[in-house]
Amino acid sequence: MAIFKEQAITASDKAFFRLRKEIVDGVIPAGSKLSEMELSTNYAVSRAVVREAINRLEACHLVERKANVGARVVSLTPDGLIELYQVRESLEGMAARLAAQNMSEEEILDLNTLLNSQSDEVKTAELYYQEAGDLDFHYRIIQGSKNAYLISMLVNGLYHLVRMYRVQLGMAGPRVTSAFDEHKSIVKAISLRDSELAEMLMRRHIMYSKNNIKAKLQS
Amino acid sequence: MAIFKEQAITASDKAFFRLRKEIVDGVIPAGSKLSEMELSTNYAVSRAVVREAINRLEACHLVERKANVGARVVSLTPDGLIELYQVRESLEGMAARLAAQNMSEEEILDLNTLLNSQSDEVKTAELYYQEAGDLDFHYRIIQGSKNAYLISMLVNGLYHLVRMYRVQLGMAGPRVTSAFDEHKSIVKAISLRDSELAEMLMRRHIMYSKNNIKAKLQS
DNA sequence: ATTTGGTGTTTTGTCGACAATCTGTAATTT
DNA sequence: AAATTACAGATTGTCGACAAAACACCAAAT
């Protein structure tokens, strides 16, 4: 899979990762209040580490905090989803552009083999492709941009929000094969080092994805 | 001026604002270590609030922290500057696109009057335009996008880094009048609700700005 | 001379307690 | 009865102290 692995060293890290997972997976419902005391007893750690975890979650836009009042998990709204995808379109478009310029030949080769292996999975209709495969694809292109800000904003910031929307809206739907074709053309543009085209295709890809999930939201 | 005003309520807020200002202005040099104890005695406040302030600075990419070691102010590098402007190009380009779609007629009118007043200043050669005026212009377009993520990322996140580069590289240089013309054409595109063009012009504007500051960096 | 190991100091991470602020309820006033 | 104020409870913000990890220095060995 070669997917990334962030390891926790301090207790705050562990609390942060756990809390983030529970929010993304909907174990802690969207819009619900986060009590520092309750969480600290729950996780068996001090309030200080819970506070630090919540602060980090706030930086990821996963919780909102008001001074002297407390923190709430963000609530999922159609507007929020659209705004999120607008930022994704902008940022990942740029990532594709930079990836076409900066990825090594070896990385591009790996990306092609990844795509081929996913092609088999699509044919045999193993549709868990959606989450894992799609994430892996986008993740590699983001890394390929070699831009630290871009990588940080997307990987540490927005992607968990994207996943939160996907998980809690139950995105296991279709759009697997069409998205796969789009992935293929993006990789082709990157292979040709056509940064202009790569950005444009990536932006369209994300726009399609937005329309797809938006339609599902209204149904 | 109508520029934004963020007000501090908690002690952590005050520490955060103060520390951020001292970092951006170079009072605390780039690359230097941030001792929690030293800062807490210095600011006459507990270590906990300094820690929280530092955590927030880390989320803004103004300091880097390593577990069990400590935090350092980021150091300014040519690569970092380029990467920063790549993200700006992407994000502010999208902001201009959305502003062309979402700004109210009144906001567009205000933007035009702002530009006219700055035109007078440019003619009379009051060149403090650069910092204040340029910031005000970009700030209004970002707000005009009406996209909460975009606004937060740029205003709370990247802009202080941009200012840090500008201040510490001593950017009082030329490029005032040419940048002003670019601003004018962007506003015109927004007035015509031409989102495509607005994005394109904004991206070019930021590219020019990047080349300008990059040239200054190498001299 | 370089490396290795140990020891002491300094800095960060974590904790529990206290202070300040907010929220909801109930009593009081008009 | 409606609005306002006072109070009680609970939650967050801040603090100082303790625990654990990293760093610096010196000694010893190869």
mmCIF file of all heavy atoms in Angstrom, chain B residues 43-61:
data_model
loop_
_atom_site.group_PDB
_atom_site.id
_atom_site.type_symbol
_atom_site.label_atom_id
_atom_site.label_comp_id
_atom_site.label_asym_id
_atom_site.label_seq_id
_atom_site.Cartn_x
_atom_site.Cartn_y
_atom_site.Cartn_z
ATOM 1 N N TYR B 43 6.979 37.068 29.441
ATOM 2 C CA TYR B 43 5.624 37.583 29.233
ATOM 3 C C TYR B 43 4.836 37.653 30.541
ATOM 4 O O TYR B 43 3.679 38.076 30.547
ATOM 5 C CB TYR B 43 4.856 36.702 28.236
ATOM 6 C CG TYR B 43 5.284 36.865 26.798
ATOM 7 C CD1 TYR B 43 6.437 37.561 26.453
ATOM 8 C CD2 TYR B 43 4.525 36.318 25.771
ATOM 9 C CE1 TYR B 43 6.831 37.689 25.132
ATOM 10 C CE2 TYR B 43 4.907 36.448 24.451
ATOM 11 C CZ TYR B 43 6.063 37.127 24.138
ATOM 12 O OH TYR B 43 6.434 37.255 22.825
ATOM 13 N N ALA B 44 5.456 37.192 31.628
ATOM 14 C CA ALA B 44 4.775 37.198 32.930
ATOM 15 C C ALA B 44 3.481 36.407 32.876
ATOM 16 O O ALA B 44 2.406 36.890 33.227
ATOM 17 C CB ALA B 44 4.503 38.636 33.399
ATOM 18 N N VAL B 45 3.615 35.173 32.466
ATOM 19 C CA VAL B 45 2.441 34.324 32.301
ATOM 20 C C VAL B 45 2.901 32.874 32.465
ATOM 21 O O VAL B 45 4.103 32.604 32.457
ATOM 22 C CB VAL B 45 1.837 34.596 30.905
ATOM 23 C CG1 VAL B 45 2.675 33.972 29.837
ATOM 24 C CG2 VAL B 45 0.418 34.160 30.835
ATOM 25 N N SER B 46 1.972 31.978 32.651
ATOM 26 C CA SER B 46 2.377 30.603 32.938
ATOM 27 C C SER B 46 2.866 29.889 31.684
ATOM 28 O O SER B 46 2.612 30.310 30.552
ATOM 29 C CB SER B 46 1.217 29.829 33.540
ATOM 30 O OG SER B 46 0.853 28.745 32.735
ATOM 31 N N ARG B 47 3.568 28.801 31.902
ATOM 32 C CA ARG B 47 4.092 28.048 30.767
ATOM 33 C C ARG B 47 2.966 27.484 29.917
ATOM 34 O O ARG B 47 3.108 27.335 28.700
ATOM 35 C CB ARG B 47 4.980 26.910 31.268
ATOM 36 C CG ARG B 47 6.467 27.170 31.128
ATOM 37 C CD ARG B 47 7.256 25.932 31.478
ATOM 38 N NE ARG B 47 6.994 24.845 30.561
ATOM 39 C CZ ARG B 47 6.936 23.577 30.916
ATOM 40 N NH1 ARG B 47 7.096 23.228 32.172
ATOM 41 N NH2 ARG B 47 6.706 22.651 30.009
ATOM 42 N N ALA B 48 1.854 27.159 30.537
ATOM 43 C CA ALA B 48 0.751 26.550 29.793
ATOM 44 C C ALA B 48 0.271 27.458 28.669
ATOM 45 O O ALA B 48 0.009 26.987 27.567
ATOM 46 C CB ALA B 48 -0.388 26.220 30.747
ATOM 47 N N VAL B 49 0.160 28.738 28.955
ATOM 48 C CA VAL B 49 -0.362 29.627 27.916
ATOM 49 C C VAL B 49 0.694 29.832 26.828
ATOM 50 O O VAL B 49 0.353 29.980 25.654
ATOM 51 C CB VAL B 49 -0.822 30.977 28.490
ATOM 52 C CG1 VAL B 49 -1.274 30.846 29.921
ATOM 53 C CG2 VAL B 49 0.225 32.031 28.347
ATOM 54 N N VAL B 50 1.968 29.826 27.214
ATOM 55 C CA VAL B 50 3.004 29.913 26.190
ATOM 56 C C VAL B 50 2.962 28.683 25.291
ATOM 57 O O VAL B 50 3.048 28.784 24.062
ATOM 58 C CB VAL B 50 4.392 30.050 26.837
ATOM 59 C CG1 VAL B 50 5.480 29.931 25.796
ATOM 60 C CG2 VAL B 50 4.499 31.371 27.566
ATOM 61 N N ARG B 51 2.805 27.534 25.891
ATOM 62 C CA ARG B 51 2.706 26.301 25.099
ATOM 63 C C ARG B 51 1.564 26.393 24.103
ATOM 64 O O ARG B 51 1.713 26.050 22.930
ATOM 65 C CB ARG B 51 2.472 25.098 26.015
ATOM 66 C CG ARG B 51 3.710 24.460 26.546
ATOM 67 C CD ARG B 51 3.371 23.242 27.384
ATOM 68 N NE ARG B 51 2.961 22.109 26.591
ATOM 69 C CZ ARG B 51 3.808 21.277 26.000
ATOM 70 N NH1 ARG B 51 5.094 21.492 26.118
ATOM 71 N NH2 ARG B 51 3.387 20.268 25.287
ATOM 72 N N GLU B 52 0.416 26.848 24.572
ATOM 73 C CA GLU B 52 -0.736 26.941 23.686
ATOM 74 C C GLU B 52 -0.463 27.920 22.547
ATOM 75 O O GLU B 52 -0.790 27.654 21.395
ATOM 76 C CB GLU B 52 -1.971 27.377 24.486
ATOM 77 C CG GLU B 52 -3.260 27.191 23.705
ATOM 78 C CD GLU B 52 -4.493 27.301 24.583
ATOM 79 O OE1 GLU B 52 -4.449 26.830 25.752
ATOM 80 O OE2 GLU B 52 -5.505 27.845 24.107
ATOM 81 N N ALA B 53 0.170 29.038 22.895
ATOM 82 C CA ALA B 53 0.514 30.015 21.853
ATOM 83 C C ALA B 53 1.445 29.387 20.818
ATOM 84 O O ALA B 53 1.246 29.527 19.611
ATOM 85 C CB ALA B 53 1.153 31.248 22.484
ATOM 86 N N ILE B 54 2.451 28.674 21.290
ATOM 87 C CA ILE B 54 3.401 28.045 20.367
ATOM 88 C C ILE B 54 2.699 27.019 19.486
ATOM 89 O O ILE B 54 2.975 26.915 18.291
ATOM 90 C CB ILE B 54 4.561 27.404 21.156
ATOM 91 C CG1 ILE B 54 5.425 28.491 21.791
ATOM 92 C CG2 ILE B 54 5.403 26.526 20.255
ATOM 93 C CD1 ILE B 54 6.589 27.958 22.584
ATOM 94 N N ASN B 55 1.795 26.257 20.075
ATOM 95 C CA ASN B 55 1.049 25.297 19.268
ATOM 96 C C ASN B 55 0.286 25.978 18.146
ATOM 97 O O ASN B 55 0.246 25.493 17.021
ATOM 98 C CB ASN B 55 0.065 24.526 20.164
ATOM 99 C CG ASN B 55 0.755 23.420 20.935
ATOM 100 O OD1 ASN B 55 1.747 22.860 20.491
ATOM 101 N ND2 ASN B 55 0.222 23.105 22.104
ATOM 102 N N ARG B 56 -0.312 27.095 18.476
ATOM 103 C CA ARG B 56 -1.051 27.808 17.433
ATOM 104 C C ARG B 56 -0.113 28.343 16.358
ATOM 105 O O ARG B 56 -0.428 28.317 15.174
ATOM 106 C CB ARG B 56 -1.827 28.975 18.060
ATOM 107 C CG ARG B 56 -3.046 28.515 18.824
ATOM 108 C CD ARG B 56 -4.082 29.616 18.827
ATOM 109 N NE ARG B 56 -4.270 30.181 20.145
ATOM 110 C CZ ARG B 56 -5.005 31.261 20.382
ATOM 111 N NH1 ARG B 56 -5.586 31.902 19.377
ATOM 112 N NH2 ARG B 56 -5.145 31.717 21.609
ATOM 113 N N LEU B 57 1.045 28.842 16.797
ATOM 114 C CA LEU B 57 2.022 29.316 15.817
ATOM 115 C C LEU B 57 2.457 28.186 14.900
ATOM 116 O O LEU B 57 2.697 28.400 13.707
ATOM 117 C CB LEU B 57 3.249 29.882 16.532
ATOM 118 C CG LEU B 57 3.356 31.377 16.819
ATOM 119 C CD1 LEU B 57 2.894 32.191 15.648
ATOM 120 C CD2 LEU B 57 2.620 31.768 18.066
ATOM 121 N N GLU B 58 2.540 26.996 15.456
ATOM 122 C CA GLU B 58 2.950 25.857 14.639
ATOM 123 C C GLU B 58 1.912 25.588 13.551
ATOM 124 O O GLU B 58 2.249 25.290 12.408
ATOM 125 C CB GLU B 58 3.130 24.617 15.515
ATOM 126 C CG GLU B 58 3.719 23.442 14.761
ATOM 127 C CD GLU B 58 3.724 22.185 15.594
ATOM 128 O OE1 GLU B 58 3.031 22.136 16.621
ATOM 129 O OE2 GLU B 58 4.432 21.232 15.205
ATOM 130 N N ALA B 59 0.646 25.718 13.923
ATOM 131 C CA ALA B 59 -0.417 25.493 12.946
ATOM 132 C C ALA B 59 -0.351 26.518 11.814
ATOM 133 O O ALA B 59 -0.781 26.239 10.695
ATOM 134 C CB ALA B 59 -1.782 25.546 13.635
ATOM 135 N N CYS B 60 0.202 27.697 12.093
ATOM 136 C CA CYS B 60 0.370 28.744 11.065
ATOM 137 C C CYS B 60 1.642 28.568 10.260
ATOM 138 O O CYS B 60 1.936 29.415 9.411
ATOM 139 C CB CYS B 60 0.426 30.126 11.703
ATOM 140 S SG CYS B 60 -0.947 30.552 12.743
ATOM 141 N N HIS B 61 2.416 27.535 10.561
ATOM 142 C CA HIS B 61 3.692 27.313 9.891
ATOM 143 C C HIS B 61 4.708 28.404 10.222
ATOM 144 O O HIS B 61 5.593 28.687 9.413
ATOM 145 C CB HIS B 61 3.516 27.248 8.372
ATOM 146 C CG HIS B 61 2.577 26.178 7.922
ATOM 147 N ND1 HIS B 61 2.974 24.903 7.654
ATOM 148 C CD2 HIS B 61 1.246 26.199 7.708
ATOM 149 C CE1 HIS B 61 1.934 24.184 7.290
ATOM 150 N NE2 HIS B 61 0.869 24.951 7.309
#
